[in-house]
């Protein structure tokens, strides 16, 4: 396996993970979870849509929740490009690759490009959004877990190497990856544009499906605050994994399922990666049963993910056999 | 069941949980765990004994580790009384109750009284110890989890109500307890002298055996630091339960097994309980499967405990069937 | 100077600093400060009185704010005794000392004894209060600085040695003190009953006057949160001293003046002091200009304090010349 | 005044503030301060040079300390560009502007370009450095303030608008600025390339001189830890300003003078600024006497700064009359 290099200069300038659009059955439950409990800020609200942002975000939204009938799905994940010209270049790039790309109107966003990536993930790019006040020092409006900003998405991908190659061609850098021990078979790839470990992660499994969207919180203590406040709001049983410490990217984390089944990660900020000499960091998958501390994730964390709207999940090229908590407890028993 | 009242005035003035004396096979491993990893302070050290204290303790030791051949055991748990006269009164009290009591010489402690409580737990009382500097603001000497001080012991008891009655007669107040739902059958009792929730806890099971000794750490973030530093020192797999939030007494906690099998709890400080009008708080055992957040403890946490030297464990009056992590995962599976 | 010994057994069993009764002109401003900004819990409210407690307190109140015309004053400071019998013994003790003592009715408190101490400080003792829920894990109700509980009072005293002798005779232990370098002249005495450094502090100056009441907050980070939230609520200019680290008692602190001029200290919890062998810790007053870090307090912190209702302040036996920030900046200038 | 726009695309791709080269008389004192006290990591050490990095940095150094005779000075500040081609473009840019630019050999750095900016600041650019391990989860090696990484420099500039124009032409974005009330006269400009508020700051005054280099620490509590550990190592009197909360950029901060007189800022991480629609945030200078909380900085913080080697400071185009602590205390006195 050759670890791919990020195209430089990139064919167009993607700056960062931007937002996620989620369909839900119960919007009131979403509000109770994201806003009342965890402290996301409501930027706008219509009868059927809730636009949320983190306390330091000046952009209009990083989470869009849309009430729809039918099973909850992820509509698409959103990325920012820097300029309008980058949008045009992006359209050209996707079309040249034989992938769908069209401009659409999206409320509170500038000109928006809908595309589908090489493994079928629905994405959108925009260069601008409506502006909202940064509330990072508006302490009266801070509560719950004090989510600061969106950081990244994790996608369950049926063909991780193919996704890795494609995003590398878009200019994403591989910061870390997990491979099967003694092989070059990629199971997880952490790809980034904004200078920290990841904007988008692909993990091996039936997909494409959205595994989670991740949000920064201020510090380690807020990981525990997030759990406590979840318990206080009746969402304690939505804590699916954590508190724990990641190997790749190193952050402290807690994963929650929202009342509609979407998964979010709350995690502490992590390192800067901006220099050309930084090689991707390799992890062997066996670390998952030898974590520095803490149990592996339960089975649901590995297996459950959210379908993208209208996109059928395909089985992975490589079957995976993760070290789940359930399996771990059996294997460690005397 | 009548919840017993603390004798007032107490027959003698016990002030607080003081220290624990543990026998170990591998003293170097103990040192690596308590001192190098977690940051306990070495007050004194001989070829076969290590005397440790927390960073704010001015007393000589709160943990004594003694190298001995044979399986690790707990030698005894120690309590402080306020004056020498209290020791004499204590001796009288235990003798009047038909329980063993004799004065012994113990290094670094004043006159020390060895007794056995009504369920067979070996205890010692002393009024004074050698003095050592408080290091609470000697920041150069702080590292690891920064253990502040010993707080309490938990004893697995074959007859929790009997232990509760006995310690109440000694002047201990019941601050919280866990009972079987819809009954008055006590499973856990939290008893205290020093004005916070517990100096000694009795939990139903085969005993008497020492479940754990508990130490305060400075704040919530140190719970996660404790896990991280344990991982860094190769003790990450000694994290048996947590990080989590207790129901009774409300603290954040992490339980570790030391390299000789003894269990310690690191936890955040908790509330003050000094007023006569405070009634004991009741919890139903069913809360253990409906914790505000976090999984139940794994089986080993419920079942494993350290024998007291020379004391055979007796089966409990009431068998218990705890909600272990293993059972919980099976019962919650779809 | 002989450092006085705490009477043991005490003539009556004082357990802890309990509450402070403050008169205010603007009760709405008090509410904005204590409740909306800092997060005190309202236990009860009448047209002219606000009863507050910390988030872990099960007692009805630790702060009572009474609207009255006239300049704000402190009505009295309150201590808890353990039993009703202790109240009778207290009455006897004060009467035998030729000091005022009478039982009064106080809302939400059991039988209450009004007394005046030897330097003229108006005190009240009670054994019980109405009960309120402990909110220590009611995370929805936590905000601001999350004040946990009252810890101690500081009184400006015209004769510190006399106050120290008197409270020692009541059974208070001297935990730390500040003396003039190379002398035994006491400037500050830290006296306690509850097993941590202080329930009541006397500092040299014109008095008796109330310098401050102090409240525990959860951890170091909350010191900074307190400042930030004060700024957000327009009370940032009420931060009079801090954030800083104390010498005696070692806590991190921030002092604020409330909108009626009363001063509170928010500080982190500190060490346990329960053993008979612990001698009082001596500090020389010169440390005030050589603090481990941080500037000295500004002049107002040293000079301003709240009169007790109807009690004229007397000049101190020893004049003091504190190292104020103003003086420090002049003396350190090149 | 027209607020300048960042050139886009930039003439060459500067990625971030990289390192600072400081000359010192007492290298052992520097080591005691940066390494033993605050926890910087030693990457390399020769008889006369100490190379330091933060715990998350994979680059060889962010601080270089060189023992030299003569008064301490700053040799130069360093920036990273992304590729070797960017270095060539940078050389061309500076030469075209009539400014000095030459390639030099620097240990542990790739090809390095020495330049002088338009106000006389000596800079160096490089595209690569030797690699060192990231220690962000090597918890055994964390101590003191746990400095994570370098973030930015502040330069005292005799002509702030001219510096602002020049760096804007280099592609730096203006994130925030301080202007004289009711005017467009710039006093402070915060300029950035890496997507957070600043890589380089220019503040009005006699210069060019280095005011400080700033380093991220993990969280709010570490601000207080930094002060405490400084006190423990005898550097408490080197705390010049703080702990406090900034207006522009919003971080919590503490400024220390090192034993050779260089100034560093330790501060918490701050917000992400990557979107084209974000306009620079304006502050009026009058906020400096109306900070949300905390005193203004003392005079030395405003007036003292480190000369660049061989560069004479010029008086500022606009004289400034800052609100110092000394002036504030006089003006607020009754």
């Amino acid at each position: 396996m050759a670890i791919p290099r990020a195209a430089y200069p990139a064919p167009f300038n993607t700056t960062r993970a931007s937002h996620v659009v989620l369909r839900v059955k119960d919007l009131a439950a979403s509000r109770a979870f994201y806003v009342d409990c965890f402290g996301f800020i409501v930027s706008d609200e219509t009868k059927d849509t809730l636009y949320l942002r983190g306390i330091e975000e000046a952009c209009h939204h990083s989470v869009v929740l849309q009430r729809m009938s039918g099973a909850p799905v992820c509509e698409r994940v959103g990325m920012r490009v820097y300029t309008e010209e980058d949008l045009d270049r992006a359209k050209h790039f996707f079309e040249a690759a034989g992938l769908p790309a069209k401009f659409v109107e999206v409320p509170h966003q500038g000109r928006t490009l809908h595309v589908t990536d090489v493994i079928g993930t629905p994405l959108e790019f925009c260069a601008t959004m409506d502006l909202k006040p940064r509330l990072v020092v508006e302490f009266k409006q801070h509560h719950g877990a004090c989510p600061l900003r969106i950081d990244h998405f994790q996608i369950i991908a049926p063909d991780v190497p193919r996704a890795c190659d494609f995003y590398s061609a878009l200019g994403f850098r591989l910061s870390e990856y997990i491979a099967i021990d003694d092989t070059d078979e990629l199971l997880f790839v952490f790809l980034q544009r904004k200078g920290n470990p990841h904007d988008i992660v692909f993990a091996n499994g039936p997909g494409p499906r959205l595994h989670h969207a991740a949000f920064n919180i201020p510090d380690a203590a807020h990981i525990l605050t997030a759990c406590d406040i979840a318990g206080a709001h009746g969402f304690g049983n939505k804590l699916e994994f954590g508190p724990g410490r990641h190997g790749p990217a190193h952050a402290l984390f807690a994963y929650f399922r929202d009342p509609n089944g979407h998964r979010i990660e709350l995690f502490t900020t992590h390192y800067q990666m901006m220099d050309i000499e930084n090689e991707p960091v390799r992890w062997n998958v066996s670390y998952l049963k030898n974590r520095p501390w803490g149990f592996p994730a339960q089975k649901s964390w590995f297996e459950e993910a959210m379908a993208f709207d209208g996109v059928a999940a395909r089985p992975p090229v490589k079957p995976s056999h993760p070290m789940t908590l359930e399996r771990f407890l059996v294997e460690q028993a005397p």
Side-chain angles (χ1 to χ4, degrees), chain A:
Chain A
M1 177 195 61
I3 296 295
R5 292 271 148 195
Y8 184 79
F12 58 96
N13 185 359
T14 307
T15 54
R16 64 178 183 90
S18 167
H19 59 282
V20 62
V21 186
L22 303 172
R23 293 193 184 165
V24 305
K25 293 189 80 161
D26 186 343
L27 195 59
S30 296
R31 202 186 207 289
F33 179 85
Y34 288 97
V35 180
D36 300 339
C37 175
F38 284 121
F40 282 81
I41 304 296
V42 178
S43 285
D44 262 302
E45 194 168 11
T46 68
K47 190 171 71 70
D48 290 318
T49 309
L50 199 52
Y51 295 93
L52 307 177
R53 71 186 193 283
I55 58 175
E56 71 153 62
E57 290 179 312
C59 58
H60 185 272
H61 53 261
S62 52
V63 180
V64 182
L65 299 160
Q66 295 182 331
R67 177 158 37 207
M68 294 245 176
S69 57
V73 292
C74 177
E75 191 168 299
R76 52 184 69 228
V77 294
M79 296 275 181
R80 277 295 190 102
V81 295
Y82 193 57
T83 64
E84 293 297 322
E85 293 67 38
D86 290 308
L87 282 179
D88 294 321
R89 285 189 209 108
K91 183 160 189 282
H92 180 75
F93 181 92
F94 277 84
E95 286 172 344
L99 293 166
K102 68 171 172 188
F103 282 108
V104 296
E105 296 284 314
V106 176
H108 308 293
Q109 297 179 191
R111 202 166 50 126
T112 298
L113 181 69
H114 276 187
V115 299
T116 301
D117 77 11
V118 74
I119 62 160
T121 315
L123 300 174
E124 68 184 37
F125 291 94
C126 63
T128 63
M129 273 192 191
D130 290 351
L131 283 164
K132 299 295 284 187
R134 281 191 207 280
L135 303 177
V136 60
V137 289
E138 294 299 315
F139 297 103
K140 284 184 185 182
Q141 299 189 56
H142 296 186
H143 71 97
C146 300
L148 297 174
R149 61 180 179 271
I150 198 167
D151 184 79
H152 67 267
F153 316 111
Q154 183 168 318
I155 310 291
I156 305 291
D159 189 341
V160 168
R162 196 169 179 213
C164 188
D165 287 343
F166 181 77
Y167 281 82
S168 298
L170 259 61
F172 284 71
R173 288 186 72 182
L174 185 64
S175 55
E176 311 208 6
Y177 61 95
I178 304 177
I180 295 175
D181 298 47
D182 304 320
T183 78
D184 285 330
E185 292 180 32
L186 295 173
L187 293 181
F188 281 77
V189 293
F190 302 79
L191 293 147
Q192 60 98 359
R193 284 289 303 171
K194 73 177 166 299
N196 76 356
H198 37 36
D199 286 293
I200 194 162
V201 177
F202 294 96
N204 185 58
R209 292 179 300 157
L210 178 66
H211 187 267
H212 69 267
F215 301 87
N216 284 110
I217 59 174
D219 58 32
H222 278 79
I223 292 285
L224 296 167
T225 302
C227 296
D228 281 333
I229 199 75
H233 283 262
F235 295 122
N237 63 352
K238 301 296 188 183
L239 174 65
E240 191 181 32
F241 183 29
R245 168 74 72 181
H246 280 305
H250 303 319
L252 287 161
F253 65 84
Y255 290 88
F256 291 89
R257 302 296 287 271
D258 83 9
N260 287 285
H262 301 292
R263 183 184 288 112
I264 63 166
E265 181 187 11
L266 301 176
F267 78 117
T268 54
T269 194
H270 43 208
Y271 66 83
Q272 188 170 282
M273 192 223 188
M274 296 188 173
D275 305 333
I276 202 165
E277 71 268 25
N278 296 129
E279 289 299 313
V281 177
R282 180 193 165 108
W283 297 80
N284 288 324
V285 71
S286 58
Y287 105 91
L288 289 172
K289 59 180 166 182
N290 292 299
R291 303 165 62 82
W293 59 270
F295 287 133
Q298 60 181 317
K299 207 172 139 193
S300 65
W301 186 89
F302 284 102
E303 298 189 354
E304 297 176 15
M306 196 53 67
F308 285 104
D309 180 39
V311 181
R314 301 187 308 281
V317 174
K318 299 275 171 195
S320 65
H321 183 51
M323 178 53 67
T324 63
L325 173 59
E326 289 82 350
R327 192 181 140 203
F328 179 83
L329 289 173
V330 169
E331 294 191 7
Q332 79 158 7

